[in-house]
Amino acid sequence: MPVFFRITAIAALAAALLLPESAAFAGLGQPTPWQIGLQESGSPVMDDVIWLHTFVLWIITGITVFILALLVIVIVRFNAKAHPTPSRTTHNTLVEVLWTVVPVVVLVVIALPSFRILFFQLNTPPADLTIKATGVTWNWKYDYPDNGDFEFDSLMLPEKDLKLGQPRLLSVDNEMVVPVNKVVRMQVTGFDVIHSFTVPSFGIKIDAIPGRLNETWFKATKEGWYYGQCSELCGKDHAFMPIAVRVVSEAEFATWVEAAKKKFASNGTPANIATANLSAQ
Ligand SMILES: [Cu+2]
């Protein structure tokens, strides 16, 4: 049955192209050339986001195929040549009830898991540590209030400074470091204009608004590098304020915290320095 094999081959190809889990088309923590699906998941929230994406994709595919079939039937069976005397029917109660009720059922079936995931994303579970990210024109600044209250700027690496394996436009001089399998409460704010803190593999995207402290969370389940970008059109260097997160073991994180405390000890915002000077006088 050559037709059967042809259909199977087309279906297999379509599945490979459409399924976001397809490893060849998506990377963990960063985009890959010719990527079609979402980035691979590195957190429980992103697991759910990918599940919802695939679930809705199947529903969309079903509706599209159904509508296409109806169109083909109309074109073939009811064109002027095949069906010269058109029917004068204008109402059919059963069909009208169905095309009202079925879409409502479809929307409810999509809405229920979607609301569940929204609550999951926005209800921070008891956190192991808090990190505050501040969007500045044009870089991110990270504060670690639970680990010695140090802070540092994270600036994009220019192309000439990239080392082997560092992705262009995504690598930074000082990355955010977090321990694996720990709940991180992310507090996000803006210093001057509105930015947006986004890391696709963690399934987080939240606005950084001056004067407002937004909150989200993630639990990185695999060690490695995760990249994101500012996702709010914030100004001329909007495209050049990447987010780089390095997920490490708990021991490595403790070592990094000790080193970071020393390295960034002299850091301080102008306001802090001014206060320090005042109290010294
Ligand atoms: Cu921005």
Side-chain angles (χ1 to χ4, degrees):
M1 277 202 295
V3 178
F4 173 75
F5 286 121
R6 224 175 294 157
I7 290 171
T8 318
I10 290 169
L13 181 68
L17 289 173
L18 292 174
L19 287 181
E21 293 89 342
S22 162
F25 293 94
L28 176 66
Q30 59 176 298
T32 42
W34 297 99
Q35 178 187 327
I36 288 175
L38 301 168
Q39 284 181 33
E40 230 178 87
S41 167
S43 81
V45 167
M46 193 57 188
D47 289 345
D48 285 8
V49 170
I50 289 179
W51 176 87
L52 182 70
H53 173 266
T54 311
F55 176 65
V56 174
L57 188 68
W58 282 116
I59 294 176
I60 295 170
T61 309
I63 293 172
T64 311
V65 168
F66 175 65
I67 299 298
L68 182 70
L70 289 184
L71 278 174
V72 170
I73 291 172
V74 168
I75 291 167
V76 173
R77 275 190 50 194
F78 299 105
N79 65 59
K81 225 185 272 168
H83 197 73
T85 347
S87 149
R88 298 276 166 205
T89 312
T90 55
H91 287 284
N92 184 307
T93 314
L94 177 70
V95 170
E96 282 164 26
V97 168
L98 278 181
W99 77 39
T100 309
V101 171
V102 172
V104 169
V105 171
V106 171
L107 288 181
V108 170
V109 165
I110 295 174
L112 289 178
S114 140
F115 290 151
R116 193 190 61 75
I117 295 172
L118 263 183
F119 282 111
F120 186 46
Q121 278 181 313
L122 294 174
N123 274 344
T124 310
D128 295 301
L129 75 153
T130 301
I131 301 174
K132 188 173 122 189
T134 309
V136 186
T137 46
W138 273 273
N139 66 276
W140 290 94
K141 185 171 86 73
Y142 300 108
D143 286 60
Y144 282 69
D146 295 347
N147 306 82
D149 206 14
F150 59 87
E151 61 177 51
F152 59 90
D153 286 319
S154 180
L155 283 101
M156 189 186 80
L157 282 182
E159 218 168 323
K160 62 177 172 43
D161 294 344
L162 291 179
K163 292 188 198 78
L164 195 69
Q166 285 188 311
R168 187 178 149 268
L169 298 179
L170 291 174
S171 298
V172 297
D173 56 354
N174 298 308
E175 71 279 8
M176 180 177 128
V177 180
V178 297
V180 72
N181 285 324
K182 296 279 176 199
V183 174
V184 180
R185 178 196 288 124
M186 275 313 299
Q187 295 188 326
V188 179
T189 189
F191 178 70
D192 34 36
V193 297
I194 301 177
H195 302 272
S196 179
F197 188 82
T198 305
V199 183
S201 277
F202 294 157
I204 55 173
K205 173 175 290 196
I206 194 151
D207 276 352
I209 301 168
R212 190 191 153 99
L213 197 65
N214 277 341
E215 194 175 289
T216 186
W217 69 281
F218 66 90
K219 186 169 92 174
T221 47
K222 292 168 211 156
E223 289 181 31
W225 286 85
Y226 296 81
Y227 298 95
Q229 287 171 304
C230 174
S231 301
E232 179 69 55
L233 285 170
C234 58
K236 78 173 175 61
D237 284 349
H238 158 68
F240 308 113
M241 46 182 299
I243 295 151
V245 184
R246 184 158 56 96
V247 179
V248 297
S249 68
E250 221 180 325
E252 265 177 277
F253 179 71
T255 318
W256 175 82
V257 164
E258 286 317 309
K261 270 191 224 166
K262 288 189 197 100
K263 185 177 174 191
F264 304 119
S266 56
N267 274 10
T269 60
N272 288 348
I273 293 164
T275 327
N277 283 344
L278 274 179
S279 51
Q281 279 167 5

